Amino acid sequence: MVSIKSKKEIERMREAGKILARVHQELGQALKPGMSTWEVDKLGERIIRDFGCIPSFKNYNGFPASICVSVNDEVVHGIPDRHRILQEGDIVSLDAGVIWKGYHSDAARTHGIGQISPQARKLIEVTEQCFYEGIKYAKAGNHLNDISTAIQRYAESFGYGVVRDLVGHGIGSRLHEDPEVPNFSQKKRGVRLRPGMTLAIEPMINEGRYDVVWLDNDWTVVTDDGSLSAHYENTILITDGEPEILSLP
């Protein structure tokens, strides 16, 4: 069942989103060649806790870190490691969540490390724009599939693969709530959007095919063909007019 948030709940989620935006800003500025993914996670957790928040992901269903740090062909759920060192030319997706007074915000960004290839830069830019193409339809009265279809249409216009095995989600007092938010078109129209709904919309786009596999750690998802993958996510609020992006500065 899809929950409609009260004014009080929305205010808490709005504050959580502002904090999460700051977390992503500070992490993005800190990334550099030679930094381990473990260092990224420890910095992210410190920033989150310095804001008086709890990391949403730490120990969530057993996940061992606060930040998902996914490098190059890793789509999502990269587990931070002292021995995984970021190199010039890598791309790295950071997925983070915070809990503020019992309410979550969830967002992801993909960054280039140092100088990256034009192809990698294009993938990052298109993935971000997929989110914005989707939320053009995130308006009361529209259906969930309107968002999904717009994301898929834009990504595939560049020849990219839209990951099918992972989707966005509702969010609120729980990190994952109804409804699921696919990034690809469905046969059914999905729920009708109503003011007060809060959604985490998160295109996961591969440079090659959409197929993915899980590594033996049961968390990290990688592209099946070894191609690069990018991830962009924000928590949004459905309103009476344009959607409000809660996890931007």
Side-chain angles (χ1 to χ4, degrees), residues 79-139:
I79 296 177
D81 188 326
R82 291 177 185 270
H83 304 291
R84 186 69 186 274
I85 306 299
L86 299 178
Q87 307 288 338
E88 182 91 11
D90 285 343
I91 67 171
V92 57
S93 298
L94 305 180
D95 192 359
V98 304
I99 308 170
W100 171 258
K101 296 185 177 179
Y103 284 83
H104 293 263
S105 189
D106 189 2
R109 307 282 186 265
T110 301
H111 302 273
I113 303 300
Q115 294 294 319
I116 63 174
S117 70
Q119 294 83 0
R121 176 61 57 196
K122 180 180 177 182
L123 175 65
I124 293 171
E125 291 172 351
V126 169
T127 301
E128 179 174 345
Q129 188 58 34
C130 281
F131 167 84
Y132 287 99
E133 293 298 316
I135 67 165
K136 290 177 181 178
Y137 298 89
K139 298 178 181 179

Side-chain angles (χ1 to χ4, degrees), residues 32-244:
K32 60 184 179 181
M35 192 176 192
S36 74
T37 58
W38 181 87
E39 289 175 291
V40 176
D41 176 62
K42 292 307 168 189
L43 176 60
E45 181 171 353
R46 181 179 63 75
I47 297 168
I48 290 169
R49 295 193 186 279
D50 283 350
F51 278 113
C53 293
I54 299 169
S56 296
F57 300 167
K58 190 72 175 282
N59 299 318
Y60 182 76
N61 290 336
F63 189 74
S66 298
I67 312 293
C68 297
V69 189
S70 306
V71 183
N72 293 334
D73 65 335
E74 295 174 347
V75 181
V76 287
H77 306 158
I79 296 177
D81 188 326
R82 291 177 185 270
H83 304 291
R84 186 69 186 274
I85 306 299
L86 299 178
Q87 307 288 338
E88 182 91 11
D90 285 343
I91 67 171
V92 57
S93 298
L94 305 180
D95 192 359
V98 304
I99 308 170
W100 171 258
K101 296 185 177 179
Y103 284 83
H104 293 263
S105 189
D106 189 2
R109 307 282 186 265
T110 301
H111 302 273
I113 303 300
Q115 294 294 319
I116 63 174
S117 70
Q119 294 83 0
R121 176 61 57 196
K122 180 180 177 182
L123 175 65
I124 293 171
E125 291 172 351
V126 169
T127 301
E128 179 174 345
Q129 188 58 34
C130 281
F131 167 84
Y132 287 99
E133 293 298 316
I135 67 165
K136 290 177 181 178
Y137 298 89
K139 298 178 181 179
N142 286 347
H143 289 263
L144 198 64
N145 195 49
D146 298 327
I147 299 172
S148 305
T149 300
I151 292 171
Q152 180 180 16
R153 184 190 307 121
Y154 188 76
E156 291 184 347
S157 74
F158 292 88
Y160 293 148
V162 182
V163 174
R164 304 293 203 273
D165 294 61
L166 301 141
V167 297
H169 51 93
I171 186 170
S173 60
R174 291 177 291 122
L175 178 59
H176 293 103
E177 298 183 350
D178 289 335
E180 289 190 342
V181 186
N183 298 306
F184 49 93
S185 187
Q186 306 290 289
K187 292 182 179 180
K188 295 184 179 180
R189 299 180 72 186
V191 300
R192 184 183 293 274
L193 302 176
R194 295 170 54 196
M197 289 181 176
T198 46
L199 306 172
I201 298 175
E202 50 178 321
M204 289 160 274
I205 308 299
N206 297 344
E207 191 175 27
R209 299 192 307 269
Y210 64 73
D211 309 86
V212 298
V213 294
W214 268 255
L215 297 185
D216 290 341
N217 63 27
D218 293 329
W219 278 107
T220 307
V221 181
V222 301
T223 59
D224 185 53
D225 59 7
S227 63
L228 296 178
S229 187
H231 186 195
Y232 186 84
E233 175 186 20
N234 280 305
T235 299
I236 73 161
L237 168 69
I238 305 299
T239 73
D240 289 315
E242 295 296 322
E244 181 181 346

